[in-house]
Amino acid sequence: PQANLIFIASLLLGTTITISSNHWITAWMGLEINTLAILPLISKSHHPRAIEAATKYFLTQAAASALVLFSSMTNAWCTGQWDITQLTHPTSCLILTSAVAMKLGLVPFHFWFPEVLQGSPLTTGLLLSTIMKLPPITLLYMTSPSLNPTLLTTLAIFSTALGGWMGLNQTQVRKILAFSSISHLGWMAIIIIYNPKLTLLNFYLYTMMTAAVFLTLNTIKVLKLSTLMTTWTKIPSLNAMLLLTLLSLAGLPPLTGFLPKWLIIQELTKQDMAPAAMLISLLSLLSLFFYLRLAYCTAITLPPHTTNHMKQWRTNKPTNITIAMLTT
C-alpha cells in the first residue's frame, strides 16, 4: 500500500507540474515523472504480458518525451523563447504535434496503446485512459494557436476511422476500450484549434464515462465479452448503469456523451468545415456498433431452462440431449 501511495502521489505531482508550468523544461519533467510513476503499476502482476506492456509503454513515452524536448530546444534556438505559449517555429510545431500524438495514441502512433491496455490491470487501464492523457492535451491546449490545422484534422479523422474500424472484431473488453479512446481522441484533436474549451469539455465528460465503465468492469471482474454475457444475474442495477454509460460513450441522445459531439459538429460547421464534420460523424457510427455490441452483451439474460441445464451439466455427466440444448 505504501508503494502504491507513492506511485499515485507521483502521478498527481507529475500531472500538476505539467499542467501548471509555463516553461518547456518543467513541462517535460512532469511528463517524465508521470511515465516513471505508472510503469510499476503496469508491471505489478509480473506476468510476461504485463512486463511486455510496461516495456512498450516506456519505449514509446521515452521517444515522445525526447521529441518534446527536441521541439522546445529547436524553438528556443530559433526564437529565443522557452515559454510554452510562444511556440512559433513551424518545424517545432510539427515535431511537437508528432510527440503529443505519440503520447496520446493518435493515429499513426496508436500501435502501443491497445497492447499496453491489454497487459495492464483494469485500474491501471483507467489511469492510462484518463489521467495520463491530461498533460499532453494540456500541451496541445496551450500551443493550439500555433499548430497546423490540416495536420491535426487529418490525424483526427484517421484516428476516428481506425478507432472504430479496429474495435469491430475485438473480443477483449480492454482492447475495445482502447480503440474507443483512440476514436474519442480524434474528436478532441479536430476541434482543439478552433475551440480549445470544447476539447477540455469533451475530455472531462469522456473521463467521467470511462471511469464509470472501468470501475464497473473491475467490480464485476469482466475482461472478455463472453464473461460479460453472464454477469447480469450478479448485480442487475450495476449492469443497467453500465448499459447506459456505454450508450452515452457512443454518443446517443439524450445521454451525456451526445452533448460534446453535437457542440463539436456545430463548431466545425461554423468554421466552414461541414465535410469534415459529416465525415467524422459517419465514422463514429463504426464505434457505435461495438458499443452496441457491448451493451447487448451487458443486457443479455439466460433463460431459466438454459440455466438449469448448465447446472445439471456442471454436477452430472452431460447427456447428449443436454449438449444438444446447450449448443442450440
Side-chain angles (χ1 to χ4, degrees):
Q2 289 86 354
N4 270 343
L5 184 64
I6 291 171
F7 297 141
I8 298 295
S10 301
L11 274 178
L12 295 174
L13 175 68
T15 304
T16 308
I17 288 174
T18 302
I19 65 178
S20 60
S21 60
N22 288 319
H23 198 283
W24 276 111
I25 297 297
T26 50
W28 172 79
M29 281 170 54
L31 291 172
E32 287 301 300
I33 292 171
N34 257 359
T35 303
L36 294 174
I38 197 75
L39 283 173
L41 297 177
I42 297 174
S43 57
K44 187 167 58 175
S45 65
H46 300 295
H47 190 273
R49 189 72 185 256
I51 304 297
E52 179 191 344
T55 308
K56 285 178 179 175
Y57 185 77
F58 172 72
L59 293 174
T60 314
Q61 298 300 308
S65 294
L67 282 178
V68 168
L69 206 54
F70 182 53
S71 161
S72 56
M73 287 174 65
T74 309
N75 188 65
W77 180 273
C78 297
T79 64
Q81 288 285 345
W82 280 101
D83 196 328
I84 293 179
T85 55
Q86 301 298 320
L87 188 78
T88 52
H89 195 260
T91 309
S92 300
C93 293
L94 185 64
I95 297 171
L96 180 80
T97 307
S98 305
V100 173
M102 198 180 290
K103 283 264 177 202
L104 289 171
L106 282 170
V107 174
F109 308 106
H110 66 282
F111 298 104
W112 62 272
F113 189 53
E115 299 296 326
V116 170
L117 212 63
Q118 179 61 26
S120 310
L122 280 169
T123 46
T124 310
L126 169 60
L127 293 174
L128 284 169
S129 301
T130 55
I131 195 172
M132 297 300 290
K133 305 282 189 198
L134 183 57
I137 283 181
T138 308
L139 291 180
L140 271 187
Y141 180 87
M142 295 171 76
T143 57
S144 57
S146 312
L147 300 178
N148 186 344
T150 311
L151 176 62
L152 269 177
T153 305
T154 308
L155 289 179
I157 288 175
F158 276 112
S159 297
T160 312
L162 194 130
W165 189 259
M166 295 290 287
L168 290 178
N169 62 344
Q170 299 296 331
T171 58
Q172 299 287 333
V173 173
R174 282 171 294 184
K175 278 198 175 179
I176 291 177
L177 290 171
F179 287 115
S180 150
S181 178
I182 293 170
S183 178
H184 276 271
L185 285 169
W187 281 88
M188 295 177 213
I190 199 169
I191 200 65
I192 192 153
I193 291 179
Y194 307 106
N195 195 338
K197 289 181 181 177
L198 261 186
T199 297
L200 290 185
L201 173 70
N202 196 347
F203 178 72
Y204 295 149
L205 293 177
Y206 164 75
T207 301
M208 286 168 52
M209 294 183 289
T210 307
V213 171
F214 268 103
L215 293 173
T216 305
L217 293 173
N218 190 45
T219 304
I220 58 181
K221 299 291 182 286
V222 166
L223 296 175
K224 292 186 291 187
L225 282 180
S226 55
T227 51
L228 187 62
M229 289 182 185
T230 56
T231 56
W232 180 260
T233 52
K234 292 180 184 175
I235 315 175
S237 55
L238 199 59
N239 272 53
M241 292 304 297
L242 178 61
L243 171 67
L244 288 173
T245 312
L246 287 168
L247 294 179
S248 182
L249 267 176
L252 287 181
L255 300 167
T256 312
F258 174 65
L259 175 67
K261 286 186 167 64
W262 179 33
L263 293 174
I264 287 172
I265 292 169
Q266 195 176 18
E267 185 65 30
L268 287 174
T269 312
K270 285 180 187 173
Q271 299 289 341
D272 293 330
M273 292 182 65
M278 184 181 70
L279 186 57
I280 201 168
S281 306
L282 289 174
L283 289 171
S284 69
L285 292 176
L286 289 170
S287 48
L288 172 65
F289 176 80
F290 63 71
Y291 284 126
L292 284 176
R293 191 170 63 156
L294 272 173
Y296 175 74
C297 289
T298 305
I300 200 167
T301 310
L302 287 174
H305 64 273
T306 313
T307 313
N308 295 334
H309 278 291
M310 287 178 76
K311 287 177 184 172
Q312 179 192 348
W313 188 56
R314 288 187 189 124
T315 51
N316 307 327
K317 185 178 178 181
T319 60
N320 291 336
I321 300 173
T322 313
I323 294 173
M325 287 195 69
L326 282 173
T327 309
T328 307

